[in-house]
Amino acid sequence: MNILSIIIFLPIITAVLLFFVRIPIRLIKIIYMMVTSMIAFLTLKLYISFEHHASIQFEEMHRWISEYGINYHIGVDGVSLGIVVMNAILMPLVAIALYKQRDKRGYWINLLFVQGGIMGVALSLDLMLFYLFWEIMLLPIFLMIGFFGYGNKNFITMKFNIYTIFGSLMMLISILYIAVQYKLQFGVYTFDLDKLQNLVLDSTQSILVFSGFMIAFAIKIPIFPFHTWLIDTYRSAPTGAVVVMSALMAKLGAYAIWRVLFTLLDKTSHELASYFIGIGLLGLIYFGISAMSQTHLKSMFALSSASHLSLIVVGFFIYDVYGLIGSSYLIVAHAISSAALFMMAAMLYERTKTYDISSLGGIAAVAPRFSLFFTLFALSIVGVPMTAGFVAEVLIVLGAFHYNIYIGFMTATTLLIAMLFMFKMISQVLYGKVNKATENFEDLRMHELIALIPLALLILAMGIFPNYFMQKIEPTALSYTVEKEVSYHE
Amino acid sequence: MSDAFIALAVPALLLFSALFILLFGFSSYYNKNRGYYITLTTLFITFCISVNGVGDIHSAELLPQLFNAMVIYDTFSATFISLFLLGGFLSLAIAKSFIDQTNFFTHESFVLFLFSLFGMVVLTMANELLTAFIALEIASMSVYVLVGLNKESLRASEAFFKYLLLGSFSASFYLLGMMLIYAQAKSTHLNVIAAYILNHDLNSQLLIIAGGMLIIITIMFKIAALPFGAWVLDVYEGASLPITAYMATVFKIAVFAFTIRVFLKNNDLIQLVFDPLIVIGAVITMIGGSLLAVIQNSVKKMLAASSVVHSGYLMIALASIEDADSSASSAIIFYLFAYFISAIGAFGVLSYISKGTDKLISFDDLNGLGKNTPIIAVSLTIFMLSLAGFPSTIGFIGKFYIFTSAIESGYTLLALFGAITAFISIYYYFKVIVHLYFKESAYVKVEYGYRVSLAFIITAAFIVLWGGVGTSLILNIPGINELYELSKHAIQSLNF
C-alpha cells in the first residue's frame, strides 16, 4: 500500500473501529494522539522525499468502477502537499490544545474521520473520488456541530449542510456532464483529471460546467455572495470543527479551483478571471469591514478568514506565477495562524466564559505569554514582515501589480483593512483596563504551549526562510503559469 | 437443472408452500413462529434457485406448447425474481420483532404474502399482456388485503378500501388499453406487437398509441408516480410497517420489471410518442413527491412520500432508455436494488423500534436514539444517507448511473432536476439524523433486545456501504462492478 493511501485511510479506519469498540475516553484520546502523530510523521517523510519537480508524485491507481472508468487514483503535487502537511500538523496540535476540554468520544472519532476525508480530497486525482471525499468530509463536521455546538445548532447545522450539499450536487452534475462529453468524443468514460484535460468543450458548455463547479467551491470557501452560512456556523461550531473548517476545509475550496478548474477548464477560467478578481476584492473589502464591526470574537475571526480567503481567490485568478505561489503559500500560512487563533479563542473562552470583545481587556498585563502568541498569530494574518503571512501577501500583491496596476493597487490598499480590524481587536482584547472577566486570567498552561509553539515556530520559519518551503510549491506553480502563458499568447 | 425446471420451480414452490400454510394454519401444530419460518425458508430456497439463472445470458420460452409462449424465462426475469425474492425475504426477516408483537399477523397473512410474490414472479416472466394482467392482479389483490391486515385499525381499513377501489379502477384502464392494442395488432403477445409497430408507420397505429397510453397510466398508478400516485400517502400510512416496506420496494420492483420489458420490446414507439409523457411525469413526480415529503411530520409518511420521489428518479431512467444497449435500462435495475436495500433497512428500523404498536413514528420518537441504541441509529443514518444519495453508499452509485444515463441521452435538464430534488431530499433525510443525534429524548432508555431483526438490519446497512465503495480489489467479494455487470446481462438477455 502506498504511503498516501495510509495517510487517507488510517484515520478513517481508526475512527470506524473506535466507534464500535467501547473503551474509556482516555484511551480514545491516546489512540487519537498516536494515530495523528503517526500521520504527521508519515507526512513529514512524504514532505522530505517529495522531489522538487512539478509532476504528480507517489501516484497510485486501482480500478474501482471500471464500466465508467472510475479509478482509485491518488497522487500528490506541490500544492496538495501544502494542505496535506497542514492537516497532518494541525490535527494532533488541536488535540493537545484541547485535551482537557473535550470528554466526548464522538468528538475525537469525528476529528479522525474528517482528517481522512480532507486528505482524500487533497490527494484525489479522479473526479469521482474527489467528489466522494468532498462529501464525506462534510459529515463529521455536521455531526460535530450538532453534537457539541452551541446556540441554535440544529437549525444552523441544517443550513450549513443544505448550503454545501447544494453546491456539491451542482458540482456532481458538472462532473457527470464532462464525463459524458468525454464519452461522446473519445468513446469511453473517464473521470481521470489527466485524461479529461483532452476534452474540448464549446464556450457555453464550459461556462455552464465551470459554474457548476464554482458554486460548490464558492460555497465552501466562501466567497462573496455565498457566505451567509459562515458566521452562524463558525459561532456555533465547537473549536475542533472551527479549526478544521477555517484552516482546512475552506482552503480545500480554493485548492479545488486550482486542481479542477485550472486543469480542466483553464481557458474558461482565464476568460472569467477578471470577474472573480472583482468578486475577490469585493469580498476582501466587505468581509474586512464587517469584521471590524463585530463584537463577537469568533465572528470576527470568521469574517477575517473569509476576507483572506478572498485574497487567496484573487491570487489564483490573476494567473501569474507570483500570485499562484503566493496564494498557495497563503493557504498554508493562513491555515496555521487562523487555526492557532481559533484555538486561542477557545482558551480565552474557557478562562473568561465570554467571546465578547468589548468585555475583554488588559490580558497583556496578566498573561504575557498568551498575549505574545496571540499577537504573533494575529500579526501573521495581517502580514507583518518576518511572518509567513507577509511573504504570501507580498507575492500576491506583486502578482496583482503584474496583472494590472490598478488591481495591484486595490489589492495592496485593501489589505490595510485587515490591519485595521486586527489591531482594533488586539488593542481591545489585550490592552486597556483589566476587568472582572480578565483579572484572574491564567496564562498559557504547559499543554497549550506545546500546541502553540510548533505553530509559532512554523510561522516564523516560513516568514524568515520562505525559500525552503517555496521550492516544493514553485515547480508546480510554474508549470501551470508557463503553460498558460504559452497557450494564451499563441 | 434445466431452465424450464427452475422457472417452474420458483412459482410452484411459492404456491405450494402458500397452500401448505393455508391448511397448516388450521391444525393445532400451527403457531406464528412456524408459519413465519416456513415462509422464510420458502423464500430462501426459491431465492437460491432463482439466483442460479442470474449471470450468464440466456432466454427461453417456457413449454411453448403448453403456455403458448406466454411466459418467458431469461436472465432478465431471473435477475428480477431474485431481486424481489430477496426483498421479500428481507422485509419479512427484518420485521420479525414486529410480527412477534402484533396479533394481526395470522397464517393468512403469510399465505397472502406468498401469493403476492407468486403473482410478481409470473408478472416478471410474462411475455404477453393478458398474462401480465392476471399476474399483476394476483399480486395486487394479495397486497390489497395485506394493507388491511390490521382489522382493528380504522386507518388500515380506510387504506385498504381506498387502495382496493383505486387499484381496481386503474386496472380497468389496463384492460381497455390491452383491448385497443389487440384490436389493432391482433395479438397481445409482446413480440407480435413489437413486430407490428416496427412494420407499420406511426399514423396507422393510433389504437396502439391510445392503448399504450392507458397501460402507462396503470403502470404509473402502480409505481405511485404522480399525478396517479395520490393514493400513496394514505395507503402507505395505513398499512402496517413491514407491509409498507414490502409495497414500496418489492411490489415496485415487480412492476418495473414488466415495464422495462414492455419498454424495451416496443422501443421505437415509446421513444417517439411516450418519452415526453414520461419526462413530464418524472418531473411532476419528483417535485410533487419532494413537496409531500418535506411537509410530513411522521417518519413513516416521509419515507412513503420519498418513495414517490424515487419513482421519479426511476422514470428519468425510463425516459432515457434509447435502446437495449443503453446504460439507462441497467441503471434502473441497479437503482431498484439500491433503493430497495436502503428502504427496506429504513422501514425495518422503524418497525423494529415501533414495538408492534403500529403507531405512526413521528420525528420526535427518534430523539435520543443515537445515545440509547447507537447501532440502530447508525444503521438508520446509513439508510438515510443512501436514500439521499450521499457518496460512499449504494444510493449514490444508483443515482450516479441514472444521472449519467440521462445526460448521455441528452436529458441534461432532467438530470439537473433530479439533482435539485436530491438536494431537497437532503432536508428531510437529514432531519431524521438531526432527531437521532442532536435532540434529547424525553423518555428513559428503551431496551429493544437483540433479535433476528437487528442482525438483518445491520446486514442491510453493510450491504448499503459495500455497494457504495465495494470493489473486488480488497476482498474477493463481488463489488459494484459485478452488480452492474449482472444488471447489464439481464438487459442483454432481452434481445437474445
Side-chain angles (χ1 to χ4, degrees):
Chain A
M1 217 179 186
N2 189 309
I3 182 171
L4 299 184
S5 296
I6 300 176
I7 288 177
I8 296 174
F9 287 108
L10 183 64
I12 293 182
I13 292 169
T14 320
V16 173
L17 289 181
L18 283 183
F19 175 81
F20 282 110
V21 189
R22 289 248 159 225
I23 48 174
I25 182 75
R26 267 180 61 90
L27 208 57
I28 288 187
K29 284 185 185 175
I30 291 172
I31 294 176
Y32 176 90
M33 280 311 298
M34 273 165 47
V35 169
T36 46
S37 328
M38 205 146 104
I39 303 283
F41 174 74
L42 284 174
T43 315
L44 193 70
K45 214 177 120 201
L46 178 75
Y47 184 78
I48 291 168
S49 51
F50 184 84
E51 286 158 33
H52 301 182
H53 58 74
S55 56
I56 303 249
Q57 301 173 27
F58 297 99
E59 252 179 295
E60 188 183 350
M61 179 132 122
H62 298 294
R63 280 143 60 86
W64 180 26
I65 307 176
S66 30
E67 179 75 21
Y68 280 87
I70 300 175
N71 298 313
Y72 174 78
H73 186 191
I74 53 174
V76 66
D77 70 357
V79 189
S80 45
L81 185 69
I83 290 175
V84 170
V85 172
M86 271 315 78
N87 191 0
I89 293 176
L90 283 176
M91 284 301 179
L93 295 183
V94 170
I96 296 176
L98 302 172
Y99 93 104
K100 276 200 175 144
Q101 295 183 16
R102 284 295 170 184
D103 277 333
K104 295 275 167 56
R105 54 201 291 267
Y107 197 80
W108 306 109
I109 294 176
N110 276 324
L111 274 181
L112 277 176
F113 206 72
V114 80
Q115 181 177 28
I118 290 171
M119 293 292 190
V121 178
L123 297 173
S124 307
L125 295 175
D126 184 285
L127 276 182
M128 228 48 223
L129 201 65
F130 178 85
Y131 181 78
L132 182 122
F133 283 119
W134 183 270
E135 291 283 87
I136 278 189
M137 72 175 177
L138 179 70
L139 263 190
I141 293 296
F142 172 77
L143 291 175
M144 275 178 90
I145 301 175
F147 273 130
F148 312 112
Y150 317 97
N152 189 10
K153 58 186 187 183
N154 291 343
F155 172 74
I156 288 163
T157 40
M158 274 310 256
K159 181 175 165 188
F160 166 66
N161 205 33
I162 284 177
Y163 238 107
T164 36
I165 289 186
F166 174 71
S168 308
L169 283 168
M170 292 301 115
M171 169 161 87
L172 179 64
I173 290 293
S174 291
I175 293 177
L176 297 183
Y177 188 79
I178 49 177
V180 170
Q181 289 306 317
Y182 188 88
K183 161 116 192 265
L184 292 180
Q185 288 176 20
F186 295 90
V188 283
Y189 275 109
T190 188
F191 286 86
D192 206 296
L193 274 170
D194 277 349
K195 291 186 192 145
L196 284 172
Q197 287 177 40
N198 305 326
L199 186 69
V200 186
L201 294 175
D202 67 38
S203 64
T204 343
Q205 283 174 332
S206 31
I207 285 179
L208 286 177
V209 171
F210 181 92
S211 345
F213 278 113
M214 201 57 203
I215 288 173
F217 303 155
I219 289 174
K220 205 72 153 198
I221 296 178
I223 55 179
F224 174 59
F226 299 102
H227 65 280
T228 51
W229 58 270
L230 177 81
I231 295 182
D232 289 342
T233 314
Y234 276 32
R235 261 169 86 152
S236 52
T239 313
V242 178
V243 170
V244 168
M245 279 195 288
S246 84
L248 301 166
M249 278 169 62
K251 307 296 190 296
L252 281 177
Y255 161 77
I257 293 182
W258 168 304
R259 165 104 293 149
V260 177
L261 291 180
F262 285 14
T263 319
L264 295 183
L265 300 159
D266 60 75
K267 199 149 170 261
T268 320
S269 318
H270 200 260
E271 282 161 10
L272 298 174
S274 50
Y275 298 104
F276 287 97
I277 292 172
I279 292 173
L281 285 176
L282 187 68
L284 195 60
I285 301 168
Y286 172 80
F287 293 131
I289 291 175
S290 336
M292 243 185 288
S293 61
Q294 291 297 324
T295 55
H296 189 282
L297 201 59
K298 269 172 124 180
S299 318
M300 205 219 89
F301 285 157
L303 285 164
S304 108
S305 75
S307 160
H308 276 81
L309 281 158
S310 302
L311 184 64
I312 293 176
V313 173
V314 172
F316 275 152
F317 275 103
I318 50 185
Y319 269 93
D320 178 273
V321 67
Y322 290 117
L324 284 174
I325 297 180
S327 279
S328 28
Y329 208 65
L330 189 57
I331 285 182
V332 180
H334 188 264
I336 303 174
S337 19
S338 73
L341 276 179
F342 274 114
M343 287 197 256
M344 294 197 80
M347 296 170 193
L348 196 78
Y349 181 77
E350 193 210 339
R351 290 167 166 84
T352 60
K353 301 283 169 247
T354 178
Y355 279 121
D356 187 19
I357 296 176
S358 53
S359 64
L360 295 166
I363 292 178
V366 285
R369 274 178 291 175
F370 184 90
S371 317
L372 176 71
F373 281 102
F374 199 71
T375 324
L376 174 71
F377 294 124
L379 290 184
S380 169
I381 283 202
V382 298
V384 163
M386 302 266 283
T387 59
F390 173 73
V391 181
E393 284 170 25
V394 161
L395 284 172
I396 294 177
V397 171
L398 269 178
F401 270 110
H402 196 209
Y403 176 83
N404 177 321
I405 188 145
Y406 299 104
I407 299 286
F409 194 69
M410 285 266 288
T411 318
T413 44
T414 45
L415 275 174
L416 289 175
I417 296 176
M419 302 245 179
L420 283 178
F421 66 72
M422 270 302 173
F423 285 130
K424 179 164 169 262
M425 187 274 298
I426 289 177
S427 69
Q428 278 180 341
V429 172
L430 298 184
Y431 302 106
K433 272 202 193 114
V434 180
N435 59 27
K436 236 192 214 144
T438 56
E439 62 189 356
N440 295 321
F441 197 87
E442 191 194 340
D443 213 344
L444 289 180
R445 298 172 199 130
M446 192 41 102
H447 68 92
E448 290 166 343
L449 274 175
I450 296 175
L452 293 175
I453 284 174
L455 296 178
L457 288 181
L458 208 54
I459 289 277
L460 291 175
M462 284 176 71
I464 301 171
F465 313 108
N467 266 338
Y468 176 72
F469 299 94
M470 228 165 263
Q471 59 193 5
K472 306 271 183 190
I473 306 174
E474 208 172 338
T476 317
L478 269 174
S479 78
Y480 271 79
T481 40
V482 169
E483 278 167 23
K484 305 282 128 74
E485 301 280 324
V486 174
S487 54
Y488 296 118
H489 297 290
E490 67 194 30
Chain B
M1 281 187 281
S2 73
D3 275 352
F5 174 75
I6 296 177
L8 292 177
V10 172
L13 258 173
L14 290 172
L15 209 55
F16 283 135
S17 83
L19 289 173
F20 176 73
I21 297 174
L22 192 61
L23 297 173
F24 180 53
F26 296 108
S27 93
S28 55
Y29 292 106
Y30 176 83
N31 63 32
K32 200 194 269 173
N33 248 337
R34 287 188 182 149
Y36 176 79
Y37 283 116
I38 293 172
T39 319
L40 221 53
T41 321
T42 311
L43 291 180
F44 186 72
I45 295 172
T46 44
F47 172 71
C48 290
I49 296 175
S50 68
V51 134
N52 269 322
V54 179
D56 53 332
I57 302 170
H58 59 86
S59 168
E61 282 173 351
L62 274 182
L63 307 180
Q65 309 85 357
L66 189 59
F67 292 128
N68 196 18
M70 293 186 301
V71 276
I72 187 165
Y73 179 72
D74 45 13
T75 322
F76 181 81
S77 50
T79 309
F80 269 103
I81 290 170
S82 322
L83 254 184
F84 55 67
L85 284 177
L86 180 68
F89 178 82
L90 277 181
S91 41
L92 265 195
I94 281 180
K96 168 78 169 128
S97 61
F98 188 94
I99 294 174
D100 275 353
Q101 284 157 7
T102 45
N103 49 11
F104 51 80
F105 263 89
T106 53
H107 71 281
E108 289 102 333
S109 43
F110 297 122
V111 174
L112 287 166
F113 199 82
L114 289 170
F115 271 149
S116 71
L117 276 172
F118 166 77
M120 294 177 204
V121 169
V122 178
L123 174 63
T124 314
M125 294 198 290
N127 201 22
E128 193 253 0
L129 289 176
L130 194 59
T131 321
F133 179 73
I134 294 168
L136 185 66
E137 281 309 287
I138 291 175
S140 303
M141 287 296 171
S142 319
V143 172
Y144 296 151
V145 186
L146 281 174
V147 167
L149 263 193
N150 189 356
K151 289 180 282 270
E152 282 144 32
S153 156
L154 213 62
R155 267 208 323 260
S157 315
E158 187 198 331
F160 160 70
F161 199 64
K162 198 175 247 173
Y163 194 31
L164 174 72
L165 219 67
L166 288 175
S168 318
F169 184 58
S170 86
S172 61
F173 279 92
Y174 185 103
L175 279 178
L176 184 61
M178 187 169 67
M179 188 194 82
L180 292 179
I181 290 175
Y182 180 77
Q184 186 130 44
K186 296 288 178 286
S187 166
T188 54
H189 200 282
L190 287 183
N191 292 343
V192 180
I193 301 170
Y196 183 91
I197 292 169
L198 209 64
N199 296 330
H200 292 74
D201 79 301
L202 207 62
N203 295 327
S204 66
Q205 32 184 293
L206 286 175
L207 283 181
I208 288 189
I209 292 172
M213 195 110 78
L214 292 171
I215 288 181
I216 283 183
I217 288 178
T218 313
I219 286 172
M220 280 173 86
F221 176 88
K222 295 285 180 195
I223 62 171
L226 297 180
F228 305 104
W231 52 274
V232 69
L233 266 194
D234 294 331
V235 173
Y236 281 14
E237 178 201 340
S240 52
L241 271 161
I243 304 303
T244 315
Y246 181 68
M247 286 166 68
T249 57
V250 179
F251 195 27
K252 204 183 260 180
I253 295 177
V255 179
F256 262 105
F258 176 66
T259 315
I260 300 174
R261 196 187 282 278
V262 174
F263 266 52
L264 284 177
K265 288 252 157 106
N266 305 315
N267 213 334
D268 311 309
L269 181 72
I270 300 280
Q271 263 207 58
L272 274 170
V273 183
F274 295 125
D275 252 12
L277 267 183
I278 295 160
V279 169
I280 294 167
V283 172
I284 296 177
T285 309
M286 286 190 294
I287 301 288
S290 301
L291 293 181
L292 275 180
V294 164
I295 56 171
Q296 300 306 328
N297 46 18
S298 116
V299 188
K300 188 182 175 189
K301 281 169 105 173
M302 184 276 282
L303 282 179
S306 83
S307 94
V308 176
V309 184
H310 288 279
S311 296
Y313 295 136
L314 288 163
M315 284 173 78
I316 296 184
L318 268 187
S320 344
I321 292 180
E322 279 167 335
D323 52 66
D325 290 331
S326 77
S327 52
S329 29
S330 33
I332 296 184
I333 302 186
F334 190 91
Y335 194 87
L336 280 171
F337 178 69
Y339 172 67
F340 113 76
I341 194 85
S342 333
I344 276 198
F347 279 113
V349 171
L350 292 193
S351 75
Y352 187 68
I353 62 177
S354 77
K355 304 210 83 185
T357 44
D358 207 18
K359 61 172 177 174
L360 286 177
I361 296 188
S362 73
F363 280 100
D364 285 331
D365 290 334
L366 298 176
N367 289 358
L369 210 63
K371 223 170 246 164
N372 296 340
T373 43
I375 298 246
I376 298 245
V378 167
S379 310
L380 187 55
T381 310
I382 291 172
F383 298 134
M384 286 301 136
L385 292 178
S386 174
L387 288 173
F390 210 78
S392 84
T393 60
I394 194 168
F396 170 70
I397 306 284
K399 281 211 177 68
F400 165 78
Y401 287 149
I402 284 197
F403 291 167
T404 324
S405 61
I407 296 176
E408 208 181 289
S409 326
Y411 285 117
T412 313
L413 219 58
L414 203 54
L416 195 67
F417 249 109
I420 288 170
T421 16
F423 159 65
I424 300 173
S425 78
I426 295 290
Y427 171 74
Y428 48 82
Y429 289 130
F430 272 67
K431 204 164 143 195
V432 171
I433 301 176
V434 165
H435 278 267
L436 279 179
Y437 294 110
F438 307 158
K439 301 228 163 142
E440 296 296 322
S441 157
Y443 315 106
V444 279
K445 189 170 170 165
V446 192
E447 282 296 333
Y448 294 109
Y450 291 88
R451 290 162 187 278
V452 195
S453 316
L454 189 61
F456 278 106
I457 289 171
I458 294 171
T459 317
F462 269 110
I463 298 177
V464 166
L465 285 184
W466 182 256
V469 289
T471 149
S472 33
L473 207 80
I474 310 175
L475 302 166
N476 252 342
I477 311 170
I480 320 164
N481 264 334
E482 277 75 4
L483 279 177
Y484 187 74
E485 280 302 308
L486 288 185
S487 37
K488 258 191 105 151
H489 287 162
I491 296 300
Q492 278 162 3
S493 78
L494 279 181
N495 38 358
F496 184 65

